[in-house]
Amino acid sequence: MVLDETTEELARAAAQGDHRALGELLRRVEPEVMRHCSRFLPFRQDAEEACQDTLLAVARNIARFEGRARFSTWLHIVTANCARTTYRGLKRRAAEQSSEELPQMRADPRRVSVIAGSRLDLLDAMEALEADKPDLAQALVLRDFCQLDYNEVAEQLGIPLGTAKSRIHQARKYIQAALGDAYGGPA
């Protein structure tokens, strides 16, 4: 997310307790948050849920924004976390459905886009990575989803540049292996 300086200033003011600035900030970032949630979640209703969760998280936690990094970086992390949380919730709710209540259904490839299926596989792989190696997942989200450069990732995580590059490389290998398994092919 590339936000203008006015938005960055609104974020700093909101972090200091300015409620009008917070309202304006949320109004300004909502379309961008929705766009990013849509990258994570293939169905609009799910993306809208994640977007609302993100805006609520920003409103609740804006005082934690210290201004060391750009607000857009902080917002990327909050958005990615909320989208993944929404996805995990969707999976949990689906798993809780008893097989007696609903017949087991397989996705009809004529009705489910390849892109939607790929996104869901990627979210599954990201969830597994986060469970196994959260430090790698965090670096990968900042680099590949938030589109920060390597120096910004290192700065945001408070680690040396070489460590950031290594974590991103390891995370990509992990995801590649997980996706290879998902599609029955070699990693």
Side-chain angles (χ1 to χ4, degrees):
M1 276 180 235
V2 177
L3 303 175
D4 62 16
E5 282 306 313
T6 303
T7 306
E8 296 287 338
E9 289 171 15
L10 284 170
R12 287 189 290 277
Q16 297 298 318
D18 184 335
H19 296 290
R20 283 190 304 172
L22 177 60
E24 178 63 18
L25 176 68
L26 295 175
R27 186 189 67 72
R28 280 177 172 247
V29 301
E30 183 177 11
E32 203 56 24
V33 168
M34 181 61 192
R35 189 171 67 79
H36 280 278
C37 287
S38 295
R39 286 184 181 172
F40 283 99
L41 299 160
F43 300 104
R44 182 162 180 85
Q45 183 178 0
D46 300 336
E48 287 172 348
E49 180 181 336
C51 179
Q52 290 304 310
D53 290 346
T54 300
L55 296 174
L56 184 59
V58 168
R60 286 183 175 162
N61 298 304
I62 192 69
R64 293 184 185 166
F65 173 63
E66 299 171 353
R68 287 183 292 173
R70 294 184 59 80
F71 172 73
S72 58
T73 301
W74 185 79
L75 183 60
H76 274 299
I77 295 166
V78 173
T79 302
N81 288 339
C82 287
R84 289 198 324 259
T85 299
T86 298
Y87 177 68
R88 282 192 295 268
L90 292 168
K91 275 183 62 175
R92 186 178 55 254
R93 287 191 296 257
E96 290 171 357
Q97 299 276 332
S98 128
S99 59
E100 296 169 10
E101 292 175 17
L102 294 173
Q104 291 295 324
M105 298 176 64
R106 297 189 54 90
D108 182 348
R110 295 168 299 186
R111 295 185 180 191
V112 176
S113 77
V114 172
I115 293 171
S118 297
R119 285 182 187 169
L120 295 175
D121 291 337
L122 180 58
L123 286 170
D124 283 337
M126 284 298 298
E127 184 177 352
L129 176 62
E130 185 172 19
D132 290 346
K133 301 174 188 280
D135 56 331
L136 300 184
Q138 191 175 27
L140 184 67
V141 166
L142 290 173
R143 175 67 184 127
D144 290 351
F145 291 99
C146 300
Q147 300 174 339
L148 300 182
D149 67 33
Y150 290 103
N151 288 323
E152 291 172 317
V153 171
E155 181 181 319
Q156 186 67 32
L157 296 176
I159 58 176
L161 178 60
T163 302
K165 288 180 177 181
S166 175
R167 286 183 185 178
I168 293 163
H169 177 73
Q170 290 174 37
R172 287 175 178 160
K173 286 180 70 171
Y174 184 103
I175 296 294
Q176 183 181 21
L179 292 175
D181 290 344
Y183 292 101

